[in-house]
């Protein structure tokens, strides 16, 4: 028996046994499901979706279960994704306070999300419960400009002092009526984007999901294209049991431009998952398991990256009650992470008190280990909240590199929050340990980062709803003492004013919707890394504006997005071209057959 077969044998047998135990557990208790402690204003996590006349069970999203302290998680629902002024996951994460997106050019070029001065380790990415590994030439960090939102139903982001845990939830369909979605985008620099989604469910619980997404641009005579397909079959006879198999395949074709490495290859992801719950309402025992594989192949780029593959198996056992949740996850794989054990707890001991924590232990090739823990305490009364977080990590930043070793950090934050009907906001003080991130392979002029100094940041956000139609949102981060990290400007802020209304009463209520959003992003001068000679690379200050207009009539949507970059070269990364005064426009159409 091969090493891989032996590695998968134990978790698969344990998974089957656990699922049988969970499925056979008693389900007579009628205790109501506890509301997850999402940030105020977010919807509860339902187990079914009401569409048309027939409601079918759908799987619960594979996201962290509460209780969680207020304000520690951002939940972007399907409606949030629909009205987003952007195209990629990086655009979505840019709305989180403290995030800076280093855009290596126009659409189709890399987009690296910077948070907490941690470089590529700042983002942990999960797809329907599977931990995603960076592959290809950029095997040290995720390029979130390559993650499409066109077939996602929901995105959850758990915010730690120096880490963003991003959970992607694929589209799920809960009706016998066939569901279809189309999106067409055009714009400057030969921009073309086309996306389609088809979903079908049958009475017996079987389901079929198909989607495709294409994005192409041409800037300074060089093309960038990504073709993304997703398909899956599922069987969900009830909300207590189910299984699914998904395949995602992405073809990349991007020529090398000044300062940015080209990319040409195929990334494939396969995910088989199954679950069983003791109760319909989600309380009690629940078991979830998955088998997954990710690969990079057919590379014909300039770096001639060899084929890569990462296989993994995972089992999660969870027990949930109205005031507490506990879960444990075991994972094994053939590379990057050979084995791992993770745990998570959440507890409401008293009204107004929320305690949560998680920890992990991971074994990597070469007898290297990563370990870490995170804890948070939340106090809240009425509209006021106070949350403290502590994050420890002894982390191997790049398991793909044989000579990379673990580095220890201890980071902490305290945040005060206010949430009322017209006004809400948070002010946080975040202290981050010294850390030197690894450089990005796709940025040719950035040979290294020099972010070794510890730093203290003030991070704040304010949201004002002056009326039902008009809102004003501001986020701001400032490094105390200017001890900022590379690609993390000392001062960085965003502001936007949004008008959205169904004011056109010619149509019946809910049919017509209109949004105008004016935004501004500004940052002070900082550093973007070092050259091969060790010279610091200056990140110049910049102020950018954008305008987003979207009109929805029934299920048909028309939008226009204008982004202003006034410099001949990109303001996000020095020396890398980013076009100014560019626009994209398009249509979206969702319907039930």
């Amino acid at each position: 028996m091969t090493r891989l077969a032996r590695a998968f044998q134990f978790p698969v047998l344990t998974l089957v046994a656990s699922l049988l135990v969970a499925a056979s557990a008693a389900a007579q208790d009628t205790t109501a499901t506890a509301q997850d402690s999402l940030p105020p204003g977010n919807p509860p996590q339902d187990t079914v979706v009401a569409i048309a006349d027939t409601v079918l069970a759908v799987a619960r999203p594979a996201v962290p279960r509460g209780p969680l302290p207020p304000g520690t998680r951002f939940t972007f629902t399907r409606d949030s994704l629909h009205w987003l002024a952007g195209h990629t996951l990086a655009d979505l994460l840019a709305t989180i306070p403290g995030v800076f997106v280093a855009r290596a050019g126009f659409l189709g070029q890399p987009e690296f999300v910077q948070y907490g001065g941690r470089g590529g380790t700042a983002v942990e990415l999960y797809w329907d419960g599977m931990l995603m590994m960076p592959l290809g030439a950029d095997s040290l960090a995720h390029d979130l400009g390559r993650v499409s939102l066109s077939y996602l139903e929901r995105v959850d982001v758990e915010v730690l002092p120096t880490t963003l845990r991003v959970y992607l939830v694929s589209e799920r369909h809960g009706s016998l009526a066939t569901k279809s979605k189309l999106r067409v985008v055009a714009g400057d620099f030969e921009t073309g984007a086309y996306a389609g989604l088809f979903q079908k469910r049958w009475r017996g619980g079987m389901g079929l999901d198909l989607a495709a997404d294409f994005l192409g641009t041409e800037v300074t005579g060089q093309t960038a294209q990504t073709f993304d397909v997703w398909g899956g079959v599922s069987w969900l006879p009830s909300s207590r049991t189910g299984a699914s198999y998904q395949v995602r395949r992405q073809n990349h074709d991007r020529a090398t431009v000044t300062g940015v490495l080209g990319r040409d290859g195929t990334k494939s992801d396969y995910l088989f998952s199954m679950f069983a719950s003791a109760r319909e309402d989600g309380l009690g025992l629940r078991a979830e398991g998955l088998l997954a594989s990710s690969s990079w192949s057919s590379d014909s780029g300039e770096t001639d990256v060899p084929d890569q593959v990462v296989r993994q198996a995972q089992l999660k056992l969870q027990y949930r009650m109205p005031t507490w949740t506990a879960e444990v996850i075991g994972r094994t794989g053939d590379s990057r992470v050979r084995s791992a054990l993770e745990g998570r707890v959440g507890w409401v001991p008293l009204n107004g008190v929320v305690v949560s924590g998680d920890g992990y232990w991971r074994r990597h090739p070469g007898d290297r280990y990563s370990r870490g823990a995170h804890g948070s305490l939340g106090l809240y009364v009425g509209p006021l909240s106070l949350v403290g977080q502590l994050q420890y990590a002894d982390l191997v930043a790049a398991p793909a590199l044989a000579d990379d070793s673990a580095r220890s950090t201890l980071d902490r934050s305290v945040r005060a929050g206010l949430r009322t009907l017209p006004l809400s906001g948070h002010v946080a003080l975040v202290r981050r340990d010294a850390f030197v991130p690894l450089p990005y392979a796709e940025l040719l002029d950035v040979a290294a980062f020099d972010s070794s100094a510890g730093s203290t940041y003030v991070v704040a956000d304010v949201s004002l709803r002056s009326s039902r139609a008009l809102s004003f949102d501001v986020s701001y981060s400032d490094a105390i003492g200017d001890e900022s990290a590379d690609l993390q400007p000392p001062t960085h802020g965003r502001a936007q004013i949004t008008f959205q209304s169904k004011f056109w009463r010619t149509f019946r209520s809910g049919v017509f919707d209109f949004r105008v959003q004016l935004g501004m992003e500004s940052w002070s001068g900082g550093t973007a890394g070092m050259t091969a000679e060790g010279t610091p690379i200056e990140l110049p200050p910049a102020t950018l504006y954008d305008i987003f207009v979207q009109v929805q009539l029934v299920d048909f949507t028309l939008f226009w997005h204008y982004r202003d970059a006034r410099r001949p070269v990109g303001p996000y990364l020095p020396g890398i071209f980013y076009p100014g005064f560019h626009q994209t426009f398009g249509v979206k159409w969702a319907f039930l057959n």
Side-chain angles (χ1 to χ4, degrees), residues 82 86-87 150 180-187 191-197 213-214 548-553 555-561 584-591:
H82 178 76
H87 302 279
S150 59
S180 302
K181 287 171 56 177
L182 296 173
R183 179 173 61 89
V184 179
V185 181
T191 299
Y194 312 93
L197 172 71
D213 189 297
F214 171 83
F548 180 67
V549 180
Q550 183 161 298
V551 180
Q552 179 175 324
L553 183 60
D555 294 323
F556 183 82
T557 303
L558 177 68
F559 64 91
W560 174 70
H561 189 199
T584 55
F585 52 90
V587 297
K588 307 173 188 176
W589 189 17
F591 50 92

Side-chain angles (χ1 to χ4, degrees), residues 494-562:
R494 288 188 181 87
Q496 67 181 31
I497 183 168
T498 304
F499 175 82
Q500 182 168 351
S501 176
K502 305 176 185 293
F503 62 87
W504 199 349
R505 298 302 179 185
T506 303
F507 300 97
R508 59 184 173 85
S509 177
V511 172
F512 178 84
D513 209 345
F514 174 76
R515 167 180 282 201
V516 175
Q517 184 173 291
L518 307 178
M520 181 191 73
E521 180 180 10
S522 180
W523 62 85
S524 62
T527 56
M530 296 187 299
T531 65
E533 293 76 24
T535 304
I537 302 173
E538 180 186 2
L539 178 66
T543 299
L544 309 178
Y545 302 89
D546 66 58
I547 305 171
F548 180 67
V549 180
Q550 183 161 298
V551 180
Q552 179 175 324
L553 183 60
V554 194
D555 294 323
F556 183 82
T557 303
L558 177 68
F559 64 91
W560 174 70
H561 189 199
Y562 175 82

Side-chain angles (χ1 to χ4, degrees), residues 6 64 81 132 151 159 205 217 243 277 317 333 359 371 393 397 411 420 436 463 486 502 514 530:
R6 290 195 300 270
L81 302 179
M132 301 288 287
Y151 49 82
V159 180
T217 61
S277 300
L317 297 177
R371 55 185 67 85
D411 309 294
T420 62
V436 183
S463 180
D486 287 333
K502 305 176 185 293
F514 174 76
M530 296 187 299

Side-chain angles (χ1 to χ4, degrees), residues 13-329:
L13 294 177
T14 306
L15 166 63
V16 172
S18 302
L19 293 176
L20 292 175
V21 171
S24 61
Q28 304 302 318
D29 193 347
T30 58
T31 304
T33 303
Q35 294 294 326
D36 206 353
S37 57
L38 296 170
N42 286 282
Q45 300 183 25
D46 296 330
T47 59
V48 294
V49 177
I51 303 177
D53 297 325
T54 304
V55 176
L56 302 175
V58 295
R60 288 178 177 270
V63 300
R65 308 298 297 173
L68 293 174
T72 57
R73 173 165 58 185
F74 288 78
T75 298
F76 300 93
T77 62
R78 183 186 284 114
D79 189 59
S80 301
L81 302 179
H82 178 76
W83 291 98
L84 176 70
H87 302 279
T88 66
L89 181 59
D91 293 326
L92 184 71
L93 297 184
T95 63
I96 295 177
V99 169
F100 178 80
V101 179
R103 304 179 190 272
F106 193 51
L107 290 173
Q109 299 297 332
E111 296 177 350
F112 297 114
V113 169
Q114 306 299 298
Y115 179 75
R118 292 300 193 262
T121 66
V123 176
E124 291 183 5
L125 190 61
Y126 298 83
W127 172 40
D128 288 337
M130 177 180 72
L131 176 62
M132 301 288 287
M133 305 289 185
L135 296 175
D138 61 345
S139 59
L140 308 182
H142 290 288
D143 174 7
L144 300 188
R146 287 290 187 245
V147 181
S148 171
L149 303 176
S150 59
Y151 49 82
L152 296 181
E153 171 188 273
R154 168 175 169 171
V155 177
D156 275 34
V157 183
E158 191 176 5
V159 180
L160 279 61
T162 57
T163 305
L164 300 176
R165 293 174 179 164
V166 183
Y167 298 86
L168 309 179
V169 180
S170 300
E171 272 278 10
R172 300 168 303 160
H173 187 45
S175 169
L176 291 176
T178 302
K179 180 181 178 181
S180 302
K181 287 171 56 177
L182 296 173
R183 179 173 61 89
V184 179
V185 181
D188 295 331
F189 304 99
E190 303 296 330
T191 299
Y194 312 93
L197 172 71
F198 174 86
Q199 293 181 291
K200 175 68 176 177
R201 288 287 301 274
W202 289 269
R203 290 187 181 277
M206 292 298 298
L208 175 66
D209 303 285
L210 299 171
D213 189 297
F214 171 83
L215 171 65
T217 61
E218 182 176 343
V219 181
T220 64
Q222 303 293 333
T223 61
Q225 295 182 351
T226 299
F227 183 58
D228 196 343
V229 295
W230 171 67
V233 292
S234 60
W235 179 64
L236 291 99
S238 72
S239 59
R240 290 180 52 193
T241 58
S244 67
Y245 179 71
Q246 302 179 56
V247 177
R248 179 174 180 256
R249 189 177 179 89
Q250 240 186 15
N251 291 326
H252 302 269
D253 182 4
R254 186 183 71 221
T256 296
V257 297
T258 302
V260 184
L261 183 67
R263 187 168 190 181
D264 192 352
T266 300
K267 186 177 186 296
S268 303
D269 299 297
Y270 306 89
L271 174 59
F272 172 74
S273 59
M274 54 195 304
F275 72 91
S277 300
R279 298 169 37 147
E280 297 281 351
D281 59 10
L283 295 180
L285 180 64
R286 178 182 175 89
E288 301 175 6
L290 61 83
L291 298 173
S293 173
S294 298
S295 65
W296 175 261
S297 60
S298 305
D299 192 291
S300 59
E302 297 182 16
T303 55
D304 193 23
V305 178
D307 290 356
Q308 303 173 9
V309 62
V310 175
R311 302 179 183 91
Q312 56 182 309
Q314 176 179 297
L315 170 66
K316 178 167 72 174
L317 297 177
Q318 179 189 88
Y319 199 88
R320 191 175 187 218
M321 294 301 290
T323 59
W324 62 271
T325 298
E327 66 180 38
V328 61
I329 299 175

